[in-house]
Amino acid sequence: MSISSKLVLGTVQFGLQYGINSAGRPSIKQVSDILNNAKTGGILILDTSSVYGNAEEVLGDVKAGESFKIVSKYPKCDKSVAETFNNSLKLLGINHFYGYLLHHFEVYCENKSVWNNFVLLQKEGKVDRIGFSLYEPWELDLILNDSIPFSLIQVPYNIFDRQFEPYFKQLKEMDVEIHVRSTFLQGLFFKDRETLPERLQPLKKYLVQLDEYAASKGISVGDLALNYNLHNPYIDGVLIGVDNKEQLLQNFASVKDVEINLDIKVENTELLKPINWKYS
């Protein structure tokens, strides 16, 4: 299996305006073009959710389920897990998910029995792997302590944010598939160092470190960030999001056989959470 097949294409951009550097939502034709190139490039899995605007509907329109495995998510909502799950299948025009995740962990905290619905869907053969999309290590601690039988997890992970790294070995021993998002910290790594919002100024020195290390390796910051995650042996899937075909092809071109030994410890970890950027 090639290293590029570890890439997982996120589809939030297909249904919503998303990210600090977003170029805007692609048209249906552009989505089709992106997916054709993704398939040619070796991508096997698409990541979506019922709260990504109309992303699932868009993927259904271009028959993405015929070419890719699909992971979707159950968000905090008024509908049941089964109803939301089946509606997603209908929109996508498929009868089976590769993975189904609980999107908002507060749902589990408020009612742990919600997990039984995921187990039932798996037992019925409607989904291969079930699990959680997490943001904080304490959330993982909780489900591990509860002995929840999950087999897929998605967490934020990048050169700056490595809070889940201590769990990776244990998760692999449990046969949990690990997908990571926020490889480029939602585009922050590409932001002009000189025009950072005041709120993000404390991160400038770390971004400069990225620039200097990438230059020493003769690669771009994008190459550095992507390969840092792709070459981690514990990681099974590295999510990327693109607005157009050119960005996707750039990601493919960034996949390199390069050794990266970089240890950056960010002091203000609260700034590694994009939800905190809104005050900038």
Side-chain angles (χ1 to χ4, degrees):
M1 182 181 290
S2 68
I3 195 76
S4 62
S5 65
K6 287 176 71 169
L7 292 172
V8 174
L9 184 60
T11 64
V12 62
Q13 283 95 334
F14 298 171
L16 293 171
Q17 186 82 11
Y18 184 80
I20 198 169
N21 287 324
S22 177
R25 288 178 57 192
S27 66
I28 288 288
K29 184 178 184 304
Q30 288 173 315
V31 168
S32 183
D33 206 16
I34 289 168
L35 294 182
N36 285 336
N37 281 274
K39 182 180 180 181
T40 301
I43 288 178
L44 304 173
I45 300 174
L46 303 181
D47 177 89
T48 192
S49 173
S50 57
V51 289
Y52 289 169
N54 67 334
E56 290 183 329
E57 184 179 352
V58 169
L59 292 174
D61 287 345
V62 297
K63 296 182 169 49
E66 294 179 3
S67 300
F68 300 93
K69 298 177 180 178
I70 298 180
V71 175
S72 193
K73 310 180 194 75
Y74 173 71
K76 183 174 184 177
C77 64
D78 296 330
K79 296 178 181 177
S80 69
V81 174
E83 186 179 356
T84 304
F85 180 94
N86 288 323
N87 187 58
S88 290
L89 288 181
K90 184 177 179 181
L91 288 172
L92 287 157
I94 59 177
N95 56 20
H96 174 272
F97 275 120
Y98 176 69
Y100 200 62
L101 306 177
L102 182 61
H103 201 149
H104 302 120
F105 195 70
E106 62 192 280
V107 175
Y108 178 76
C109 293
E110 293 167 1
N111 177 20
K112 291 186 177 181
S113 66
V114 71
W115 181 249
N116 297 332
N117 297 283
F118 287 76
V119 174
L120 181 59
L121 290 169
Q122 188 179 44
K123 284 182 177 177
E124 291 174 344
K126 294 179 178 178
V127 56
D128 293 337
R129 289 182 178 265
I130 51 175
F132 298 82
S133 175
L134 303 179
Y135 289 84
E136 306 283 350
W138 69 262
E139 299 169 338
L140 180 53
D141 285 331
L142 183 58
I143 59 176
L144 289 173
N145 289 336
D146 288 345
S147 298
I148 294 297
F150 65 100
S151 51
L152 177 61
I153 194 168
Q154 186 191 115
V155 297
Y157 184 80
N158 54 64
I159 296 174
F160 284 2
D161 184 359
R162 293 154 48 202
Q163 60 184 330
F164 282 95
E165 193 172 82
Y167 298 87
F168 284 177
K169 185 174 186 292
Q170 178 186 356
L171 291 171
K172 293 313 296 179
E173 289 170 350
M174 294 167 57
D175 191 33
V176 174
E177 190 168 308
I178 301 171
H179 291 186
V180 298
R181 63 177 181 272
S182 206
T183 293
F184 305 115
L185 203 42
Q186 284 196 17
L188 177 69
F189 290 166
F190 305 121
K191 200 75 173 164
D192 187 331
R193 296 0 177 186
E194 301 308 316
T195 59
L196 288 175
E198 184 178 349
R199 173 77 167 152
L200 300 180
Q201 282 295 324
L203 296 178
K204 181 177 178 179
K205 62 181 178 181
Y206 305 113
L207 291 168
V208 171
Q209 284 184 58
L210 284 188
D211 295 339
E212 292 172 347
Y213 188 87
S216 75
K217 287 285 188 178
I219 59 178
S220 70
V221 167
D223 296 346
L224 175 60
L226 186 61
N227 287 283
Y228 184 84
N229 283 4
L230 281 174
H231 289 277
N232 185 310
Y234 294 114
I235 293 174
D236 300 290
V238 177
L239 266 80
I240 57 170
V242 301
D243 298 317
N244 52 59
K245 177 185 71 174
E246 288 69 31
Q247 289 177 2
L248 176 67
L249 295 178
Q250 179 56 57
N251 277 299
F252 283 140
S254 289
V255 178
K256 292 177 168 60
D257 182 14
V258 58
E259 186 176 347
I260 299 170
N261 295 303
L262 183 59
D263 186 12
I264 295 178
K265 290 184 172 61
V266 176
E267 293 161 12
N268 191 340
T269 55
E270 288 303 302
L271 287 183
L272 300 180
K273 302 170 187 175
I275 193 171
N276 294 326
W277 298 354
K278 62 186 177 182
Y279 303 111
S280 59

